[in-house]
Amino acid sequence: KVWMRHRYRSCLNRLQELLVHSSFEVKELALSTLMKFVQLEGAHPLEKPKWDGYYLFPRQLFKAVVEGLLSLEDDCSLLLARFREYLEHDDIRYHTMQAATDTVGRVTDRHPEVPLTFWNNAFTLLSSVSLPSQERGISSFYVKHGELPRTWKVVHLKEHRKAFQGMWLGFLKHKLPLSLCKKVLVVLHDSILPHLAQPSLMIDFLTRAYDVGGAISLLALNGLFILIHQHNLEYPDFYRKLYGLLDPSVFHVKYRARFFHLADLFLSSSHLPAYLVAAFAKRLSRLALTAPPEALLMVLPFICNLLRRHPACRVLVHRPLGSELDADPYDPEEEDPAKSQALESSLWELQALQRHYHPEVSQAASVINQALSVPEVSIAPLLELTAFDVFERDLKKKGQGSVPLEFIPAQGLLGRQDDFCAQHFTLS
């Protein structure tokens, strides 16, 4: 028995080495063989149970498999995609979360500079874990057991949520590369927060990401929105930082649609002070002067909706352009919207955009000349508008027949210059 046990361990060690083989077919066969051993060792354990009903799972073997998947040198994304099939089983998913938490903690303790390859492998594995929404969904087990006592943690969704939370918190507490932070923030609101036992524990990570600036801050808005609206998060100076995110680059980033969708939600409350809404409307109007047409077709209705929600800000439109506004009192460099003096200014930028070269933009800017309708204009169809869409839409427009190019008949090839040239050559 001892000899057979040693041969079995040697076989497992050799299979673990093959998980980093150069050939993907070899790695895939090694993984499937190891997982078969996990199933057989769980059904026929090498150790005796401590008492009747004791839950036996080959943790050490399975932990070694997870360590092989989280390689520091090799990209294991294809092998992790193959491993995702096993995560459909509840016991495999539960022990994967525990093994991944231990592996990430041990690797970060041993290596002061963790390679990017390891972080990418870890994120690929962690993002593959998805929990069921209801506890009665926990019934699929890879390691077969005769009965499922309620004392086993693996059969309770609450324990799965705790393991899920510990896995992500242990991963996000480290200083991750910015490229990986973006990937986490993209899936955070949809795939992570709804399954945490205590979503409020994500406050530290989200506030750190929100303070980074740029695209990272834009992506952190989704998670902060959920914590503020669903978990009563009190975030000081939130609107001040949201105001600071408005810069010319916001019209060109990849996540523009998501940002303006969330900004529209944050500014939808009728309890916001007039000076704050006026600051956002003025800031957007100033940025609109240099924005591309596809962004203007979304921003202009956005500004008009702000004026519809907050009638106290309509003074920005109806304020007469007298001597007191020869110099715009608005300070675009001020970071605090309360000190920007936006409410004392006017939206002259919208009047300037009424002379925009694109007819749809000038038409959208001319809406403020009439009384604003009570129902708001939905900006949802305009959030994903691109320059290609605008160009294709212009090409599909049909003209009104022939277009006259001039109304004064030409006198000669160059007009009056012909007479001057003739006199010049005669005198010569």
Side-chain angles (χ1 to χ4, degrees), residues 229-242:
H229 282 258
Q230 298 181 11
H231 302 281
N232 299 321
L233 169 65
E234 293 184 3
Y235 190 86
D237 297 331
F238 174 78
Y239 284 98
R240 180 176 178 176
K241 292 185 178 180
L242 181 64

Side-chain angles (χ1 to χ4, degrees), residues 213-232:
I216 300 293
S217 296
L218 298 184
L219 292 173
L221 279 176
N222 248 342
L224 286 174
F225 171 75
I226 294 176
L227 293 182
I228 289 174
H229 282 258
Q230 298 181 11
H231 302 281
N232 299 321

Side-chain angles (χ1 to χ4, degrees), residues 254 282 291:
K254 180 180 179 181
K282 181 64 178 178

